[in-house]
Amino acid sequence: DADVTQTPRNRITKTGKRIMLECSQTKGHDRMYWYRQDPGLGLRLIYYSFDVKDINKGEISDGYSVSRQAQAKFSLSLESAIPNQTALYFCATSMLGIYTFGSGTRLTVV
Amino acid sequence: GNSVTQMEGPVTLSEEAFLTINCTYTATGYPSLFWYVQYPGEGLQLLLKATKADDKGSNKGFEATYRKETTSFHLEKGSVQVSDSAVYFCALSEGDKIIFGKGTRLHILP
């Protein structure tokens, strides 16, 4: 099993729909992150969490929310999806500055 | 704020060619520096790192040296293989987070 598992791998949704992307990890790391990747823009941080009671906004948090249900689980929600949220989304964990990434969720908003 | 600039791609080379991907950074203090690699359809994975000036990180034939005087961390490999085709991200630590460059796509032709 992968250390960081993201579900679903691919998703197509309609504008205005609520959608949740899920992430679970078996690394035992306290720190978890959500990034989006767009062509030519690299990775941009959406939200991060350093433990279950800690949630922080990243550089592009507008239109997104997160929930840290347990040390191992960190979900990302789009309350009302819009087409410019079409992107590849990555969850990651870290310890001592070393990051472990999931395989990504490709989200298309039509 | 801190930032990372890396050469734009795509970079296309023939197998066994010498590779350099340039990376420069702007930072206050003394960040750790990283190269991450993203193979097709996968998340990012750590390729190598350096934590202080003049450190050399190395892995899988790739090397990068932390140059404080030129604020650079260029990635090199003496003889690339088709299997090295991927997107490469330079990154630096900023407190408890990592800042990524925009990525450089590398194509190796057989």
Side-chain angles (χ1 to χ4, degrees), chain A residues 5-46:
Chain A
T5 302
Q6 293 183 234
T7 55
R9 288 298 307 272
N10 292 282
R11 180 72 182 267
I12 300 174
T13 192
K14 293 183 178 180
T15 298
K17 293 291 187 182
R18 183 179 189 275
I19 182 168
M20 179 182 289
L21 310 184
E22 301 195 24
C23 176
S24 63
Q25 55 119 341
T26 58
K27 300 286 288 184
H29 293 168
D30 287 326
R31 299 182 176 191
M32 298 187 73
Y33 308 80
W34 275 104
Y35 288 88
R36 66 176 278 175
Q37 184 179 23
D38 299 277
L41 294 178
L43 273 77
R44 293 182 290 167
L45 182 62
I46 305 172

Side-chain angles (χ1 to χ4, degrees), chain B residues 38-71:
Chain B
Q38 183 181 27
Y39 297 105
E42 300 182 12
L44 282 70
Q45 54 186 274
L46 179 66
L47 180 60
L48 54 84
K49 68 170 184 172
T51 58
K52 62 183 186 298
D54 299 325
D55 266 3
K56 177 186 283 188
S58 62
N59 187 25
K60 299 182 180 180
F62 291 89
E63 294 183 339
T65 301
Y66 191 142
R67 300 285 188 202
K68 180 168 170 286
E69 63 277 10
T70 54
T71 61

Side-chain angles (χ1 to χ4, degrees), chain B residues 83-97:
Chain B
S83 58
D84 294 326
S85 297
V87 181
Y88 292 81
F89 292 88
C90 185
L92 64 79
S93 60
E94 180 181 73
D96 297 317
K97 301 191 298 295

Side-chain angles (χ1 to χ4, degrees), chain A:
Chain A
D1 287 344
D3 293 326
V4 180
T5 302
Q6 293 183 234
T7 55
R9 288 298 307 272
N10 292 282
R11 180 72 182 267
I12 300 174
T13 192
K14 293 183 178 180
T15 298
K17 293 291 187 182
R18 183 179 189 275
I19 182 168
M20 179 182 289
L21 310 184
E22 301 195 24
C23 176
S24 63
Q25 55 119 341
T26 58
K27 300 286 288 184
H29 293 168
D30 287 326
R31 299 182 176 191
M32 298 187 73
Y33 308 80
W34 275 104
Y35 288 88
R36 66 176 278 175
Q37 184 179 23
D38 299 277
L41 294 178
L43 273 77
R44 293 182 290 167
L45 182 62
I46 305 172
Y47 271 96
Y48 61 102
S49 168
F50 286 167
D51 66 41
V52 175
K53 298 180 181 178
D54 176 74
I55 301 290
N56 304 281
K57 293 183 177 181
E59 60 181 297
I60 55 162
S61 58
D62 288 349
Y64 301 94
S65 63
V66 291
S67 174
R68 185 80 184 267
Q69 302 95 324
Q71 188 208 35
K73 296 185 182 294
F74 191 38
S75 59
L76 175 72
S77 294
L78 287 67
E79 297 301 326
S80 179
I82 56 177
N84 76 0
Q85 291 178 312
T86 293
L88 188 54
Y89 290 84
F90 287 102
C91 175
T93 72
S94 77
M95 178 177 281
L96 300 177
I98 305 302
Y99 280 52
T100 302
F101 283 81
S103 297
T105 294
R106 185 168 297 281
L107 176 66
T108 303
V109 183
V110 297

